[in-house]
């Protein structure tokens, strides 16, 4: 259910694994993504189960329509009947409001400044790393009063640099923007380490406390991996402040 969680000064961070939900194969069990072909009723039930496990209200979670871009939305509550915007980060100054990001190999990025009471969730795949979605989220947090030095950052389970094979040109394109993401697969071909790139960006922004999940989704049977399985579920990362 909740594979990893921690709390720092009233800022809560949680990442799901694939177990403890009601979805059938190939989304078994805890698929939290609503746009991957799973039964919508199962996704709703899974979102309720995950929220209960985290101790938050399922109606107090803000989801995104993620598109691998660099747009950020500032939110003060769930979307309700409004269309869910196409953004890859959400930021809030509303305590008790949870922000959620969906992934299956991309890097889920959770950020919080517990003193300012500002949180953000971001979806950083390779395009988002290059487009700068994480710096954009940190800037949006700063506009709401966050201080990067106080921001606590957690990145969740994602495909690792030893597994994420890309064409040589693609590795060069990412390297030009973020050298820290340069990687090689365990079988000796060009690769990208998106999480390493995200943490390099966070370091340059002066983010004080950053921790990376040790879990590689592609190599873990307890996590959904798009690159491994193609048709599969989505994991979620949740952040909120007391
Ligand atoms: Zn790996």
């Amino acid at each position: 259910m909740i594979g990893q969680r921690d709390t720092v000064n009233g800022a809560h961070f949680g990442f799901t694994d694939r177990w403890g939900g009601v979805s059938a194969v190939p989304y078994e069990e805890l698929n939290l993504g609503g746009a991957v072909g799973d039964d919508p009723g199962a996704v709703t039930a899974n979102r309720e189960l995950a929220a209960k496990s985290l101790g938050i209200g399922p109606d107090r979670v803000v989801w995104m329509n993620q598109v691998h871009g660099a747009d950020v939305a500032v939110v003060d509550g769930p979307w309700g009947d409004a269309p869910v915007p196409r953004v890859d980060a959400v930021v809030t100054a509303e305590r008790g409001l949870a922000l959620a990001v969906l992934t299956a190999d991309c890097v889920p990025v959770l950020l919080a400044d517990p003193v300012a009471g500002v949180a953000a969730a971001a979806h950083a795949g390779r395009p988002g790393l290059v487009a700068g979605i994480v710096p954009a989220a940190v800037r949006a947090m700063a506009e709401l009063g966050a201080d990067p030095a106080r921001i606590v950052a957690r990145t969740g389970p994602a495909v690792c640099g030893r597994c994420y094979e890309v064409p040589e040109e693609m590795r060069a394109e990412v390297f030009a923007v973020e050298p820290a993401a340069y990687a090689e697969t365990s079988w000796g071909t060009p690769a990208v380490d998106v999480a390493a790139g995200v943490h390099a960006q966070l370091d340059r922004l002066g983010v004080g406390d950053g921790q990376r999940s040790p879990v590689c989704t592609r190599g873990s049977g307890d996590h959904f991996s798009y690159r491994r399985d193609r048709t599969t579920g989505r994991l979620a990362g949740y952040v909120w402040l007391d």
Side-chain angles (χ1 to χ4, degrees):
M1 180 75 77
I2 309 302
Q4 297 170 237
R5 69 180 298 173
D6 74 326
T7 300
V8 181
N9 296 332
H12 300 271
F13 307 88
F15 295 101
T16 62
D17 61 28
R18 71 182 297 166
W19 305 122
V22 301
S23 290
V25 175
Y27 307 103
E28 80 280 19
E29 298 170 347
L30 189 70
N31 167 46
L32 297 163
V36 292
D38 194 3
D39 167 22
V43 175
T44 299
N46 288 339
R47 288 181 175 188
E48 287 173 0
L49 288 165
K52 188 176 178 193
S53 181
L54 289 162
I56 57 180
D59 56 345
R60 296 293 292 163
V61 179
V62 179
W63 301 90
M64 295 179 265
N65 184 359
Q66 302 166 188
V67 292
H68 290 284
D71 289 335
V72 181
V74 175
V75 297
D76 58 12
W79 305 113
D81 293 332
V84 178
R86 294 158 66 90
V87 297
D88 288 88
V90 279
V91 177
T92 192
E94 192 73 25
R95 291 182 184 272
L97 182 67
L99 309 176
V101 49
L102 293 165
T103 58
D105 289 342
C106 288
V107 180
V109 185
L110 306 179
L111 306 165
D113 176 345
V115 177
V118 180
H123 164 245
R126 180 183 45 78
L129 172 69
V130 172
I133 184 63
V134 172
V138 171
R139 281 194 297 275
M141 290 178 73
E143 284 170 18
L144 294 175
D147 176 352
R150 286 192 308 242
I151 291 177
V152 181
R154 297 288 180 265
T155 60
V159 64
C160 82
R162 303 284 284 164
C163 291
Y164 184 14
E165 183 176 51
V166 297
E168 177 69 60
E169 317 81 72
M170 197 174 276
R171 178 170 68 173
E173 176 201 342
V174 176
F175 177 79
V177 176
E178 189 45 76
Y182 189 92
E184 189 175 286
T185 61
S186 56
W187 53 97
T189 58
V192 170
D193 187 336
V194 177
V198 165
H199 281 278
Q201 291 181 333
L202 290 168
D203 287 347
R204 276 201 303 280
L205 291 160
V207 170
D209 174 359
Q211 282 180 25
R212 174 178 181 172
S213 167
V215 174
C216 169
T217 44
R218 189 172 182 275
S220 167
D222 295 326
H223 295 79
F224 298 116
S225 170
Y226 174 77
R227 287 183 75 86
R228 182 186 62 217
D229 299 328
R230 296 295 160 176
T231 301
T232 191
R234 293 294 179 273
L235 308 162
Y238 298 82
V239 59
W240 72 98
L241 288 149
D242 287 335

